[in-house]
Amino acid sequence: MKTVSPVTLVPINRWMQGENSLKEDLLAVEEPLQIKLQFGQGDHWQEKALAVTMRTPGHDFELAIGFLLAENIIHGPEDIQLIRYCKKVKDEEKGNVLIVKLSPSVKVDLTLLDRHFFTHSSCGVCGKSAIEAITCEDKALVQDFSKVKTSLLKRLNQMLMKEQTVFKYTGGIHASALFRTNGELLFLREDVGRHNAFDKVVGAAFQQKLLPLSDGLMMLSGRVSFELIQKAIRARIPIIAAVGAPSSLAVSLAKEKGITLIGFLKNDRFNIYSGKERVEMEES
């Protein structure tokens, strides 16, 4: 199987202080990943090309698992029988096509997935064909939760930056990191797509049977969209903190479903948009 690196060197012309020079620059790789789904029972198995997403190679199985969980296709680790890269593909597609075989007990109704499953790396629900298809029917999170201290929140940005390996070298990649409210880092994943990074982290937690995580906190390197809140609800992660701003729809959904949403998180300040009861205020 071809190994695909998350970074690549490209030749550039660098203009600096009036002089031009030939250099090399390290970039984050962006390549398509096709996710195929195999499902059925006995002698009646179907295979469907479910999605193509532009992603940074690495942790592809986690990405696929997180995506399937977010789309409500799977609910537990026992729903997946096998996941592997497809072998019978063109040379340029090797390492970029994988198939997930579901357990025979999983019932799949693809007519409910009213979505054109082609997404680019920054895309969220842009493939949905109607606004009705993006409603979130999951139950609100219960209020039995662990609180996060403001002293930890103020450190999260530095903790995230410290672990962002690819970002240090390229400056062009997003990150999602799952912490416990005591500050323990569980998983961090990077990707050119915000949604992909989130799915990779959820996929990793799913594989380790850590979901739902009542004391979970997801830290994001960018802004917060509606679909990222939707993914958090599906994974039952109660706290979302982000360096960037949330959208109005993200805030509305967070309030409706009992998610604590924190934005513009810096070393010395942050905004709480919903769920302030999960934040333990401390004196500076």
Side-chain angles (χ1 to χ4, degrees):
M1 182 61 62
K2 180 182 70 171
T3 300
V4 184
S5 172
V7 295
T8 186
L9 276 173
V10 297
I12 63 169
N13 285 282
R14 176 168 294 166
W15 180 265
M16 182 178 295
Q17 296 179 343
E19 294 185 1
N20 178 61
S21 58
L22 297 177
K23 299 287 184 179
E24 286 186 323
D25 195 18
L26 196 62
L27 301 181
V29 171
E30 181 177 27
E31 289 194 357
L33 176 70
Q34 183 179 51
I35 302 171
K36 294 184 177 182
L37 198 63
Q38 195 174 71
F39 55 96
Q41 292 181 336
D43 297 329
H44 303 284
W45 285 85
Q46 300 181 56
E47 184 175 306
K48 181 177 179 61
L50 184 64
V52 176
T53 182
M54 302 302 294
R55 96 309 187 189
T56 298
H59 305 287
D60 290 336
F61 290 3
E62 295 173 355
L63 171 56
I65 291 170
F67 177 81
L68 293 176
L69 179 67
E71 293 299 329
N72 210 24
I73 296 174
I74 60 174
H75 302 89
E78 68 279 358
D79 290 341
I80 298 176
Q81 186 170 311
L82 175 71
I83 181 168
R84 63 171 176 82
Y85 289 103
C86 294
K87 299 178 181 178
K88 296 182 179 179
V89 295
K90 299 176 182 177
D91 286 343
E92 63 270 20
E93 295 176 340
K94 290 181 179 179
N96 286 331
V97 182
L98 61 79
I99 188 164
V100 181
K101 185 175 182 180
L102 302 180
S103 299
S105 59
V106 178
K107 306 297 182 182
V108 178
D109 185 0
L110 294 178
T111 63
L112 298 178
L113 301 178
D114 188 13
R115 181 171 181 167
H116 304 292
F117 278 120
F118 182 88
T119 62
H120 54 75
S121 57
S122 61
C123 182
V125 295
C126 57
K128 297 287 187 179
S129 62
I131 192 65
E132 292 82 5
I134 64 172
T135 56
C136 182
E137 297 180 354
D138 294 85
K139 294 181 180 179
L141 274 70
V142 297
Q143 297 303 308
D144 180 16
F145 49 74
S146 299
K147 290 189 175 183
V148 58
K149 295 182 178 181
T150 54
S151 57
L152 173 61
L153 288 174
K154 291 188 293 184
R155 300 199 317 268
L156 282 178
N157 195 17
Q158 290 182 338
M159 295 168 71
L160 183 72
M161 290 291 293
K162 181 180 178 181
E163 300 295 332
Q164 284 186 256
T165 305
V166 179
F167 180 82
K168 291 176 184 177
Y169 292 102
T170 67
I173 201 162
H174 292 282
S176 292
L178 182 60
F179 294 86
R180 293 189 185 275
T181 51
N182 64 5
E184 177 189 359
L185 174 61
L186 297 175
F187 307 101
L188 182 143
R189 299 291 183 263
E190 295 178 282
D191 199 281
V192 288
R194 294 176 297 117
H195 302 84
N196 294 338
F198 199 108
D199 281 341
K200 287 178 178 181
V201 170
V202 170
F206 182 89
Q207 286 183 307
Q208 294 295 320
K209 300 182 179 180
L210 293 177
L211 301 180
L213 195 65
S214 60
D215 64 340
L217 185 159
M218 187 77 87
M219 177 66 183
L220 310 177
S221 65
R223 62 185 178 86
V224 188
S225 64
F226 166 87
E227 194 179 30
L228 292 181
I229 298 296
Q230 193 176 44
K231 289 176 182 291
I233 296 166
R234 188 64 49 81
R236 315 308 285 176
I237 297 172
I239 305 174
I240 300 295
V243 174
S247 69
S248 61
L249 197 57
V251 173
S252 296
L253 185 61
K255 289 181 177 179
E256 177 188 346
K257 299 298 183 179
I259 292 285
T260 295
L261 176 56
I262 298 166
F264 291 110
L265 179 58
K266 309 298 181 184
N267 299 335
D268 59 349
R269 64 187 186 275
F270 55 85
N271 296 341
I272 303 175
Y273 292 89
S274 66
K276 65 178 182 180
E277 61 275 6
R278 287 196 183 94
V279 179
E280 183 178 333
M281 299 295 181
E282 300 171 297
E283 295 183 3
S284 300

